[in-house]
Amino acid sequence: MAMSDRVLPLAHTPERANSETALTKVILIGLAVLFLVAILFLPLVTVFIEALRKGWGTLFESFGDPDTLAAIRLTLLVAAIAVPFNAAIGLAASWAIAKFEFRGKNLLLTLIDLPFSISPVISGLVYVLLFGAQGWLGPWLQAHDIQIIFAVPGIVLATVLVTFPFVARELIPLMQSQGTSEEEAALLLGASGWHTFFKVTLPNVKWALLYGVLLCNARAMGEFGAVSVVSGHIRGLTNTMPLHIEILYNEYNFVGAFAVASLLAGLALFTLLAKTVLEWRFAGEIAATARRH
Amino acid sequence: MSVPVRVRNLEKTFGRYPALKGVSLDVEAGELVALLGPSGSGKTTLLRAIAGLEQPDAGQVLFGDLDANTLSLRERRIGFVFQQYALFRHMKVFDNIAFGLRARPRASRPSEAGIRSRVLDLLHLVQLDGLEARYPAQLSGGQRQRVALARALAIEPRVLLLDEPFGALDARVRKDLRKWLRDLHQRTGHTTLFVTHDQDEAFELAGRIAILDHGRIAQVGTAQDILDRPATPFVGSFIEGIARREAQAREWTKPHVVASR
């Protein structure tokens, strides 16, 4: 309303318009900062304050709990499998989509986006329907003594599904904007397909790849919904950190819950910090690969 | 080590759109030929088909006695300069030029010292001494173009192909580079084809010009042939500007010539 009122006078009386924009600027920036503090910063600080409510001693004690340790181990294990897997498959899919023409390309693009658009709970449920005891493949799996649901394989599968788009979504637009002429040049200069991929294609997208991997990792460690459905919440066996936090919280073990939460938040902060440091350290190189020439 | 290039009845269709409709062209060893035509005439497709970047639907490309269809991209040994140069943006100038030498199989790969001296020679040839440690983003358009040329020459190509070599440069740099490229061609003697939509460029630079129109070659000949006897109405109208300027130049010099006799 105020915006549309100002559109015409702006052209005719620049001074008045200027003073108004300055005021608007302050208000807008103020609102944004207020919002960020209230929605993002305060909760984050609260996590650490709550974790330290009874001092460092209690905080470290709660990390000594075997179930907590098991949850931390499981989360790291799942991320260690899901992230490299999604990085490799995401890179291959982006390469195919950005550099080649083929039938069904749009279908593949839609499939890659699918995990973003459906609720994680449904992603988990799909696996239960497939691999669960009452599921399609359940009897066969039971006959062969393979446990997927309520076990680590199910948790890994659910995490892979939910975090699949992160790497591909980072890479596809960049690869598309870079085009294929550098690859063509490499091939004409006598390079093999692999040589071209490792010396030309991959170095050109390594920063986007790293960013995608960091995002994928953050989500893989933090995923709750899909994992919750397939995990079965068996303490010490199939509880990941986010699931463990919920259990501790529901048992009124607030210090324990916030201790694990602070560790998870700390991992996320460390990820962001690592990304910022790398960006700062290699600013020139990033600019060189991002620019079209 | 340059070879003649023979193109025989080349055909290429993209979807339903025919880009080349039976193109034949003979280029002698060491010749400098322009592929001239408006956009959509098939000139870039022809160049890419000769390079092996497009697979023709029918027809043949011969390098000397060798059928290009039997050769892999590596075996073709084509020096190709892309319109936007396609320099490897994350590599320094030195590594860009050395790429083709380093990509060779171990048996035929020169030593690092050999590569170094070859790259420095090429940098000298394209007059970019001392710029080997720059990244492409730190170079001007004309400099990038010459790096691309040096990179293409590094593999001792059979044939040199240039796609709109001056298209991305401003007018002044373009004029300088044209003259420089002609000198370079005279010195190195590579069989060279270049694509352009700029009539002046083709007429000034090329020994012979092939004019393309809707996927067919309308006329091949020297600048004088084409000006004197345009083969089709299309060629006549396409080179109209140049023909008029030539005529004007003749008019203006006439009294002068008479007076000096």
Side-chain angles (χ1 to χ4, degrees):
Chain A
M1 184 66 186
M3 291 286 280
S4 59
D5 284 347
R6 254 194 9 252
V7 168
L8 274 177
L10 193 76
H12 299 293
T13 53
E15 281 147 47
R16 206 186 116 226
N18 266 347
S19 66
E20 266 193 27
T21 16
L23 184 66
T24 323
K25 204 163 104 183
V26 169
I27 292 174
L28 282 176
I29 292 175
L31 273 175
V33 169
L34 200 70
F35 184 80
L36 285 176
V37 167
I39 303 290
L40 292 174
F41 188 68
L42 279 184
L44 196 61
V45 173
T46 313
V47 168
F48 289 100
I49 289 175
E50 285 295 325
L52 286 167
R53 184 160 287 244
K54 293 190 177 147
W56 290 92
T58 329
L59 178 68
F60 286 124
E61 246 169 60
S62 48
F63 286 132
D65 177 44
D67 289 347
T68 302
L69 282 177
I72 295 171
R73 263 200 306 271
L74 182 59
T75 291
L76 293 178
L77 173 73
V78 168
I81 300 171
V83 174
F85 180 82
N86 275 344
I89 303 291
L91 185 61
S94 321
W95 192 42
I97 285 171
K99 310 281 181 180
F100 300 100
E101 286 303 322
F102 56 90
R103 263 165 192 273
K105 193 163 161 169
N106 282 328
L107 185 68
L108 185 57
L109 266 171
T110 314
L111 279 177
I112 288 175
D113 275 345
L114 203 59
F116 270 169
S117 51
I118 57 174
S119 160
V121 175
I122 296 171
S123 310
L125 217 53
V126 171
Y127 284 122
V128 175
L129 291 174
L130 271 178
F131 303 123
Q134 322 297 328
W136 289 6
L137 299 172
W140 187 87
L141 290 170
Q142 263 173 345
H144 291 80
D145 207 16
I146 302 169
Q147 179 97 30
I148 290 182
I149 298 304
F150 307 143
V152 176
I155 297 174
V156 172
L157 276 177
T159 308
V160 165
L161 177 67
V162 171
T163 60
F164 182 70
F166 285 95
V167 172
R169 272 283 134 200
E170 280 299 317
L171 290 181
I172 291 169
L174 179 66
M175 281 182 154
Q176 279 178 334
S177 79
Q178 286 178 344
T180 52
S181 56
E182 282 183 51
E183 279 83 3
E184 287 179 344
L187 293 171
L188 281 171
L189 288 167
S192 65
W194 283 115
H195 191 86
T196 303
F197 180 74
F198 284 111
K199 299 285 180 176
V200 176
T201 309
L202 196 55
N204 272 345
V205 298
K206 65 181 170 194
W207 295 108
L209 179 63
L210 178 73
Y211 192 44
V213 163
L214 289 178
L215 285 176
C216 181
N217 183 55
R219 182 63 189 269
M221 288 188 179
E223 174 54 26
F224 182 87
V227 170
S228 175
V229 177
V230 297
S231 124
H233 307 266
I234 308 166
R235 284 189 185 215
L237 282 178
T238 64
N239 259 352
T240 59
M241 283 166 77
L243 301 183
H244 194 58
I245 292 169
E246 197 208 15
I247 288 180
L248 291 174
Y249 188 84
N250 286 343
E251 289 172 349
Y252 303 102
N253 182 356
F254 295 129
V255 172
F258 280 107
V260 184
S262 68
L263 185 64
L264 200 55
L267 283 171
L269 286 179
F270 175 77
T271 306
L272 284 179
L273 187 73
K275 176 186 157 270
T276 313
V277 168
L278 286 169
E279 273 177 354
W280 171 74
R281 169 78 182 70
F282 295 100
E285 205 182 316
I286 292 170
T289 49
R291 203 176 304 160
R292 293 273 289 151
H293 55 250
Chain B
M1 131 109 241
S2 49
V3 296
V5 177
R6 315 219 175 280
V7 178
R8 295 274 173 269
N9 295 314
L10 221 51
E11 287 185 31
K12 176 73 188 175
T13 306
F14 293 113
R16 270 201 230 138
Y17 171 77
L20 297 176
K21 303 177 207 165
V23 170
S24 295
L25 177 68
D26 282 351
V27 180
E28 298 311 319
E31 207 179 3
L32 179 59
V33 170
L35 303 176
L36 175 66
S39 56
S41 60
K43 52 194 192 306
T44 294
T45 306
L46 175 57
L47 196 78
R48 288 173 61 86
I50 295 171
L53 292 174
E54 301 290 353
Q55 193 63 41
D57 302 331
Q60 218 180 11
V61 176
L62 297 163
F63 299 130
D65 302 327
L66 285 170
D67 183 345
N69 269 335
T70 65
L71 303 175
S72 67
L73 283 186
R74 166 186 292 193
E75 288 163 342
R76 283 185 188 223
R77 279 221 332 275
I78 299 288
F80 200 100
V81 175
F82 288 80
Q83 191 171 0
Q84 301 290 335
Y85 319 130
L87 294 176
F88 306 126
R89 64 193 91 195
H90 64 282
M91 290 184 204
K92 292 174 176 168
V93 166
F94 184 97
D95 301 310
N96 262 283
I97 299 174
F99 187 90
L101 299 172
R102 287 181 177 151
R104 282 187 189 170
R106 205 171 290 275
S108 60
R109 196 186 307 160
S111 66
E112 265 308 303
I115 290 174
R116 183 165 180 80
S117 79
R118 177 103 181 98
V119 171
L120 294 182
D121 283 352
L122 283 162
L123 271 172
H124 183 68
L125 180 73
V126 299
Q127 300 166 359
L128 291 175
D129 301 84
L131 293 188
E132 61 266 28
R134 297 269 189 96
Y135 282 99
Q138 299 167 318
L139 300 176
S140 73
Q143 288 170 331
R144 283 178 207 168
Q145 213 250 10
R146 283 180 282 158
V147 173
L149 198 58
R151 182 178 72 175
L153 291 173
I155 60 166
E156 291 158 41
R158 285 195 177 90
V159 179
L160 194 57
L161 304 176
L162 306 115
D163 188 6
E164 296 273 2
F166 312 110
L169 301 170
D170 61 63
R172 226 186 67 80
V173 181
R174 203 184 294 195
K175 278 227 138 110
D176 291 348
L177 267 176
R178 250 187 239 172
K179 185 178 162 329
W180 175 81
L181 184 67
R182 197 174 44 199
D183 294 347
L184 186 80
H185 174 256
Q186 272 164 9
R187 264 187 294 160
T188 58
H190 284 102
T191 311
T192 305
L193 277 99
F194 72 97
V195 157
T196 181
H197 62 270
D198 182 329
Q199 293 92 334
D200 289 327
E201 204 165 282
F203 277 76
E204 191 187 318
L205 199 53
R208 282 193 307 150
I209 300 154
I211 297 184
L212 280 97
D213 174 27
H214 288 99
R216 291 201 173 85
I217 291 205
Q219 187 170 10
V220 186
T222 63
Q224 207 57 53
D225 288 347
I226 292 175
L227 283 175
D228 291 347
R229 287 178 297 279
T232 67
F234 165 78
V235 173
S237 68
F238 191 62
I239 59 159
E240 206 177 7
I242 290 191
R244 202 184 310 127
R245 248 173 293 150
E246 284 285 311
Q248 268 171 2
R250 246 172 271 159
E251 280 299 312
W252 287 340
T253 48
K254 224 182 241 165
H256 179 72
V257 171
V258 171
S260 70
R261 269 184 190 159

